[in-house]
Amino acid sequence: MLAHRHEQVRRRQLAHATHGVFTDYAAFAPQLQAAGLMTAAGRNSLVGTIDPAVSVPLVRSEVYSFFVRHLPAPR
């Protein structure tokens, strides 16, 4: 996909996060761990060690920014 790009590419990466941080697991995994339903290692492999209080607002902001850039404004 990047080899055939026609415009500038913006890459974002969150430190201490895995791909699962872009799902609802970012908020649920720490709760599952606190309830004893998930190990710390399981949580870290699923969403990373980033605090959901940090990751959730950052992901929301990036998704919003993407849609503002790429979807036409309502008329």
Side-chain angles (χ1 to χ4, degrees):
M1 182 169 82
L2 293 176
H4 301 288
R5 67 181 187 258
H6 299 286
E7 59 187 58
Q8 185 177 4
V9 174
R10 295 176 69 182
R11 179 183 168 144
R12 296 290 184 254
Q13 184 172 345
L14 297 177
H16 310 287
T18 65
H19 187 73
V21 82
F22 295 99
T23 69
D24 289 339
Y25 284 124
F28 294 138
Q31 295 174 35
L32 293 172
Q33 180 186 354
L37 300 171
M38 176 179 277
T39 65
R43 175 193 175 217
N44 292 346
S45 68
L46 185 63
V47 296
T49 59
I50 191 169
D51 184 348
V54 173
S55 67
V56 171
L58 285 174
V59 170
R60 285 180 182 166
S61 175
E62 289 298 325
V63 170
Y64 177 80
S65 176
F66 173 84
F67 284 119
V68 165
R69 278 193 321 272
H70 296 286
L71 291 179
R75 296 175 196 213

